[in-house]
């Protein structure tokens, strides 16, 4: 088999927040474009909401809240929220609150998003943000508050799946001025029988407002096609959102032709490096021999490192380049077709879309062979990692032993003997309790330093180095905030912080004391994020003592070095080197390939490891553990998440590998290492050998 080289993505901790999280934009009067947001689909259906969304308000404002696409969004993915605020007579300033309960079956505390806004008289504002992943049977409440935070109106909605809700459906958004030239995609875009049995694609028309700088708002979509989009301009913020979405596994399909230059130039750069050539008219059969040729106006493109996925023998009509976990497809011709061309040229285009979905999307859609890791729950390991509290000092057991010895064997007997010698035994009724109280006070004072007295944060971070070097690297941080007392508290952060509350496995998903199942508290309980005017806050609203609030933070840090790799595959064997060109050392580095883990150990700055020189005891076969990936990793790290004898540093490392690297185990090859001096910080990478 031909040797092929691979590059790696990595990750570390640096909390420099520069990415916008939500945005408020002016829109034209007349409401949300129905053809954009209100498209039909089959994922999960919002009940008790008409096709125009949830409307509420007063004589001064009317808000229309829409979730996902046409009231639909994918389970387990972040959900887009679009709220149109229409100012009426006197205008309005207030707050919109979106609360999500994990399950209708329990009276749980909600995860909350709050957004302050204002709309002047006859002024329309669009408020857009992403909310945390929702699951089946979730309950959501939308509440409008006035400037005094008094409730104006509220509405409950329930999320429930229907009979056509298949995870293997392909969900695709189309951004175009042409609303009718893509019917062939709806007809033909169906996974073939080797991938899934007859599940249809779901197509959503997109409007210009549908793409924002926050990639999480696009989380439900597997494919985005931009073609014939001349009425709008792709802004820098939108280009950034698309880039981040592709990085996480999305497939971006760009149509060509003479009108495609502005879109091409707006998106060229990090995702692909290239330029446009001359315009020309060709007659092509799309490579289908014997087929009547079609006349096309094409725009030639030159893309560095791209593979050709459609050629007619003369022109390379569609090219592909991989970016992060996703793919970018660039066509040289417009993608709209006449209806009579559906089953000829349309079949070619939809076949290319289906075959070039990213490995990440195919895995989560169930279109790849099942991996044994699918039985693991990444969020469960992340929750366990977050609950490892190291903020307090352990008690001095030896000192406590000495105090108890003095009390039991010296103080109390001494008091008794002294009272007996002086014939004052009647005073023991007072002296003994007094001595007990004294020693209790001593123990209490000595234990003060071991007790948590202020809210504390646990966190786990990774930074990813893309295949092509950037000046900045993406940082993902999951952190928990826990308080030893009841009450409200908050963490103010810079305005451009990209922060979102998250629900980890079983977190807050239990019946609350004194609460009946199926009942819900009023606004002001739970935890979440509040987007204000000029600031952002992580808010904990009256959570019980030691209840944790969980958040995800995405930011960037300036790159300082990378990991250089020269690794190649030949049949089932691999060889090559991994070099640490970073400014910091790495420890507990592991390399995974095809069910085998190579334990590399430490890599000092400038040090190179040869995969072939890995000692036999440091090579772990997954098959030797009954394909139990968790047991393998615990053996590699020398501990167990559930063993009290394992120290928290090792537990954190195990938890992070299972949560981060394990979550990408659908790929055949990845590397993971830890920054020195602690187990909270991870450095991680995965990629496929094609």
């Amino acid at each position: 088999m031909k040797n092929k080289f691979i590059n790696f993505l990595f990750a570390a901790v640096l909390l420099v927040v520069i990415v916008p999280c939500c945005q408020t934009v002016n829109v034209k009067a007349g409401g949300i474009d129905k053809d954009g947001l209100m498209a039909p689909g089959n994922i999960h259906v919002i009940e008790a909401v008409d096709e125009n969304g949830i409307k509420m308000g007063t004589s001064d404002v009317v808000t229309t809240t829409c979730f996902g696409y046409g009231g639909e969004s994918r389970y387990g993915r972040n959900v887009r929220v679009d709220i149109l605020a229409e100012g009426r007579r006197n205008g309005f300033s207030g707050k919109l609150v979106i609360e999500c309960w994990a399950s209708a079956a329990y009276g749980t505390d909600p995860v909350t998003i709050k957004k302050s806004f204002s709309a002047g008289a006859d002024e329309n504002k669009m408020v857009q943000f992403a909310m945390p992943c929702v699951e089946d049977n979730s309950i959501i409440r939308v509440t409008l508050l006035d400037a005094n935070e008094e409730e104006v109106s509220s509405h409950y909605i329930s999320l429930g799946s229907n009979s056509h809700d298949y995870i293997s459906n392909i969900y695709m958004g189309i951004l175009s001025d042409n609303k009718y030239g893509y019917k062939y995609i709806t007809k033909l875009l169906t996974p073939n029988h080797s991938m899934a049995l007859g599940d249809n694609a779901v197509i959503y028309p997109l409007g210009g407002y549908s793409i924002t700088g926050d990639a999480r708002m696009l989380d439900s979509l597997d494919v985005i096609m931009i073609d014939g989009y001349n009425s709008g301009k792709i802004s820098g913020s939108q280009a950034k959102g698309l880039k981040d979405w592709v990085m996480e596994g999305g497939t971006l399909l760009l149509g060509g032709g003479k009108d495609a230059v502005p879109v091409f130039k707006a998106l060229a750069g990090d995702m692909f490096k290239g330029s446009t050539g001359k315009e020309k008219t060709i007659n092509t059969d799309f490579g289908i021999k014997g087929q009547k040729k079609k006349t096309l106006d094409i725009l030639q493109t030159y893309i560095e490192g791209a593979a050709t996925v459609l050629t007619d023998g003369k022109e390379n009509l569609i090219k592909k380049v991989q970016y992060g976990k996703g793919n970018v497809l660039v066509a040289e011709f417009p993608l709209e077709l006449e209806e009579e061309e559906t089953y000829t040229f349309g079949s070619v285009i939809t076949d290319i879309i289906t075959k070039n979905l990213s490995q990440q999307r195919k895995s989560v859609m169930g279109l790849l062979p099942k991996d044994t890791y699918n039985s693991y729950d990444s969020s469960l390991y992340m929750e366990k990692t977050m609950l490892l509290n190291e903020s307090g000092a352990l008690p001095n057991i030896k000192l406590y032993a000495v105090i108890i010895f003095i009390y039991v064997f010296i103080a109390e007997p001494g008091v008794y003997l002294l009272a007996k010698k002086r014939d004052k035994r009647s005073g023991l009724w007072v002296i003994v309790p007094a001595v007990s109280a004294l020693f209790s006070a001593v123990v209490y004072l000595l234990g003060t330093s071991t007790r948590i007295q202020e809210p504390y944060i646990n966190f786990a971070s990774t930074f990813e180095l893309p295949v092509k070097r950037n000046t900045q690297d993406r940082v993902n941080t999951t952190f928990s905030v826990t308080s030893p007392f009841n009450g409200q508290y908050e963490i103010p952060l810079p305005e451009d912080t990209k922060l979102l509350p998250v629900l980890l496995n079983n977190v807050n998903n239990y019946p609350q004391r004194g609460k009946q199942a199926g009942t819900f508290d009023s606004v002001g309980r739970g935890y979440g994020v509040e987007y204000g005017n000029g600031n952002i806050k992580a808010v904990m609203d009256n959570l019980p003592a030691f209840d944790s609030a969980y958040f995800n933070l995405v930011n960037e840090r300036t790159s300082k070095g990378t990991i250089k790799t020269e690794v190649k595959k030949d049949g089932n064997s691999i060889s090559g080197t991994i070099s640490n060109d970073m400014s910091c050392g790495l420890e507990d580095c592991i390399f995974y390939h095809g069910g085998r883990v190579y334990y590399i150990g430490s890599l000092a700055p400038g040090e190179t490891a040869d995969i072939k020189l890995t000692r036999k005891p440091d090579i772990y076969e997954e098959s030797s553990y009954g394909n139990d990936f968790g047991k393998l990793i615990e053996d590699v790290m020398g501990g167990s998440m559930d063993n009290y004898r394992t120290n928290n540093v090792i537990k954190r490392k195990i938890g992070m590998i299972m949560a981060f690297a394990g979550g990408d185990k659908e790929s055949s090859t990845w590397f993971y290492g830890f920054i020195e001096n602690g187990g909270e910080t991870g450095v991680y990478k995965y990629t496929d050998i094609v």
Side-chain angles (χ1 to χ4, degrees):
M1 182 176 183
K2 185 179 179 180
N3 292 340
K4 296 183 180 180
F5 291 91
I6 57 175
N7 293 313
F8 293 94
L9 307 170
F10 278 90
V13 172
L14 193 62
L15 302 181
V16 181
V17 287
I18 66 171
V19 184
C21 186
C22 75
Q23 63 186 83
T24 302
V25 296
N26 290 315
V27 297
K28 295 179 180 179
I32 300 175
D33 178 9
K34 182 178 177 181
D35 290 320
L37 192 63
M38 304 304 166
N42 294 318
I43 318 178
H44 55 68
V45 181
I46 294 177
E47 301 171 352
V49 182
D50 65 23
E51 64 175 4
N52 295 313
I54 302 172
K55 286 187 178 289
M56 59 178 62
T58 68
S59 58
D60 292 329
V61 70
V62 173
T63 61
T64 304
T65 304
C66 297
F67 293 87
Y69 301 89
E72 300 173 4
S73 186
R74 225 167 188 165
Y75 291 128
R77 304 273 184 95
N78 293 315
V79 180
R80 70 175 298 124
V81 181
D82 296 87
I83 303 175
L84 178 66
E86 301 174 83
R88 296 295 173 88
R89 185 177 57 193
N90 298 315
F92 184 87
S93 293
K95 188 178 296 183
L96 287 155
V97 182
I98 310 292
E99 300 165 282
C100 180
W101 284 265
S103 172
Y106 298 97
T108 58
D109 291 330
V111 172
T112 305
I113 300 285
K114 302 177 181 179
K115 180 68 174 77
S116 298
F117 76 98
S118 61
D122 300 320
E123 180 185 22
N124 291 354
K125 287 286 186 70
M126 178 76 88
V127 180
Q128 298 176 288
F129 51 82
M131 62 178 288
C133 306
V134 295
E135 302 297 340
D136 198 0
N137 298 319
S138 297
I139 292 290
I140 292 177
R141 178 170 59 188
V142 181
T143 303
L144 176 64
L145 305 179
D146 63 18
N148 298 318
E149 299 207 4
E150 295 292 332
E151 182 175 318
V152 174
S153 181
S154 66
H155 190 100
Y156 284 97
I157 58 176
S158 175
L159 300 182
S161 62
N162 62 28
S163 59
H164 300 292
D165 183 10
Y166 297 112
I167 191 173
S168 54
N169 281 349
I170 298 173
Y171 296 98
M172 179 175 178
I174 299 178
L175 178 59
S176 176
D177 296 332
N178 184 345
K179 299 179 181 179
Y180 306 104
Y182 311 104
K183 292 181 180 179
Y184 71 95
I185 294 179
T186 304
K187 287 184 178 181
L188 297 176
L189 193 50
T190 301
N192 61 44
H193 289 288
S194 66
M195 299 167 65
L197 297 177
D199 296 343
N200 296 317
V202 183
I203 311 299
Y204 301 106
L206 303 179
Y209 63 88
S210 300
I211 299 174
T212 72
D214 189 350
R216 296 171 300 185
M217 294 187 68
L218 303 173
D219 207 10
S220 286
L221 300 177
D222 304 305
V223 181
I224 294 177
M225 185 174 83
I226 304 178
D227 182 71
Y229 182 57
N230 307 315
S231 63
K233 179 182 178 182
I234 304 294
S235 68
S237 176
Q238 289 176 316
K240 170 68 173 169
L242 287 168
K243 168 189 166 183
D244 292 342
W245 172 78
V246 174
M247 174 69 77
E248 289 302 308
T251 295
L252 178 63
L253 173 58
L254 302 179
K258 62 180 181 179
D259 297 324
V261 175
V263 173
F264 185 94
K265 289 184 176 180
L267 297 176
D270 287 336
M271 283 191 289
F272 60 91
K273 297 187 183 301
S275 60
T276 56
K278 62 181 181 179
E279 299 174 11
K280 59 189 294 189
T281 300
I282 65 171
N283 292 312
T284 181
D285 58 6
F286 278 35
I288 307 173
K289 301 305 179 184
Q291 176 62 42
K292 181 181 178 180
K293 293 188 177 183
K294 175 181 175 63
T295 301
L296 286 178
D297 293 325
I298 69 169
L299 174 68
Q300 291 182 316
T301 58
Y302 305 94
I303 300 176
E304 181 181 320
T308 299
V309 294
L310 176 62
T311 180
D312 62 2
K314 295 181 180 180
E315 296 288 341
N316 296 326
L317 296 174
I318 300 182
K319 304 178 183 71
K320 179 182 83 169
V321 63
Q322 184 175 347
Y323 181 72
K325 301 177 188 178
N327 296 321
V328 180
L329 303 173
V330 181
E332 293 193 341
F333 59 92
L335 296 168
E336 66 240 75
L337 295 176
E338 299 294 333
E339 190 167 355
E340 58 267 22
E341 298 171 324
T342 293
Y343 294 102
T344 52
F345 304 127
S347 296
V348 174
I349 296 172
T350 54
D351 186 57
I352 286 173
I353 294 172
T354 300
K355 289 182 177 178
N356 289 282
L357 289 174
S358 68
Q359 292 294 99
Q360 188 272 343
R361 284 293 197 266
K362 288 180 180 178
S363 177
V364 299
M365 292 163 62
L367 303 182
L368 293 177
K370 294 293 184 181
D371 193 292
T372 54
Y373 182 75
N374 288 342
S375 61
Y376 291 91
D377 189 334
S378 295
S379 63
L380 176 60
Y381 279 95
M382 180 52 70
E383 179 190 356
K384 288 183 177 181
T385 301
M386 292 295 99
L387 293 176
L388 294 172
N389 177 32
E390 296 173 352
S391 62
L394 292 175
N396 190 326
I397 302 301
K398 292 182 179 179
L399 179 59
Y400 280 125
V402 170
I403 293 173
I404 292 173
F405 178 84
I406 293 173
Y407 174 68
V408 174
F409 295 101
I410 298 177
E412 293 292 9
V415 167
Y416 175 78
L417 292 175
L418 183 62
K420 180 180 179 182
K421 182 177 180 180
R422 297 187 177 183
D423 197 21
K424 300 286 187 180
R425 281 178 289 184
S426 60
L428 290 175
W429 294 105
V430 176
I431 298 173
V432 169
V435 172
S436 298
L438 174 63
F439 275 84
S440 296
V442 171
V443 170
Y444 176 83
L445 293 174
L446 290 174
T448 299
S449 62
T450 70
R451 289 190 294 274
I452 298 170
Q453 301 179 54
E454 298 293 337
Y456 62 90
I457 293 175
N458 283 338
F459 69 93
S461 293
T462 67
F463 74 75
E464 303 172 4
L465 303 183
V467 175
K468 298 178 181 178
R469 290 300 306 133
N470 285 343
T471 56
Q472 293 177 322
D473 299 322
R474 173 172 166 158
V475 183
N476 288 297
T477 301
T478 299
F479 67 93
S480 64
V481 184
T482 310
S483 175
F485 48 77
N486 299 326
Q488 185 180 48
Y489 54 104
E490 58 190 34
I491 303 174
L493 295 165
E495 181 181 12
D496 55 1
T497 303
K498 196 170 184 180
L499 183 71
L500 198 66
V502 296
L503 282 169
L504 296 181
N505 187 77
N506 293 326
V507 174
N508 279 337
N509 192 14
Y510 51 85
Q512 299 292 316
R513 290 183 295 274
K515 231 189 230 187
Q516 294 181 352
T519 62
F520 306 96
D521 285 342
S522 60
V523 176
R525 185 171 174 84
Y527 66 93
V529 174
E530 180 169 346
Y531 305 122
N533 295 318
N535 60 66
I536 181 174
K537 295 183 286 187
V539 179
M540 281 54 68
D541 285 335
N542 300 312
L543 285 177
F546 292 100
D547 256 16
S548 295
Y550 295 84
F551 298 88
N552 180 257
L553 176 69
V554 180
N555 45 56
E556 296 181 352
R557 49 93 67 182
T558 302
S559 299
K560 295 182 179 179
T562 185
I563 302 297
K564 293 182 178 179
T565 64
E566 291 187 357
V567 181
K568 57 186 178 181
K569 173 184 175 183
D570 187 4
N572 293 325
S573 64
I574 56 172
S575 62
T577 60
I578 299 175
S579 302
N580 181 10
D581 192 34
M582 301 173 66
S583 58
C584 59
L586 301 176
E587 61 186 20
D588 286 323
C589 301
I590 61 175
F591 179 84
Y592 176 88
H593 172 69
R596 178 179 293 176
V597 169
Y598 299 80
Y599 180 73
I600 298 172
S602 299
L603 277 177
E607 186 177 358
T608 297
D610 190 325
I611 295 296
K612 268 200 164 182
L613 297 181
T614 306
R615 297 184 305 113
K616 192 171 183 179
D618 292 331
I619 300 176
Y620 299 79
E621 297 282 354
E622 198 167 359
S623 59
S624 301
Y625 294 84
N627 291 323
D628 189 326
F629 184 68
K631 289 182 180 178
L632 183 153
I633 293 300
E634 288 183 340
D635 199 9
V636 171
M637 290 295 149
S640 170
M641 288 291 286
D642 299 318
N643 191 330
Y644 72 94
R645 296 179 183 273
T646 303
N647 69 55
N648 282 349
V649 172
I650 294 177
K651 286 184 177 181
R652 282 182 179 273
K653 291 180 177 180
I654 294 171
M656 288 189 68
I657 292 174
M658 295 301 295
F660 289 107
D664 285 321
K665 196 171 176 290
E666 70 271 4
S667 106
S668 62
T669 305
W670 46 258
F671 175 93
Y672 198 105
F674 292 87
I675 290 179
E676 294 175 342
N677 302 321
E680 307 93 346
T681 304
V683 178
Y684 130 83
K685 152 64 186 157
Y686 103 91
T687 188
D688 281 313
I689 294 179
V690 180

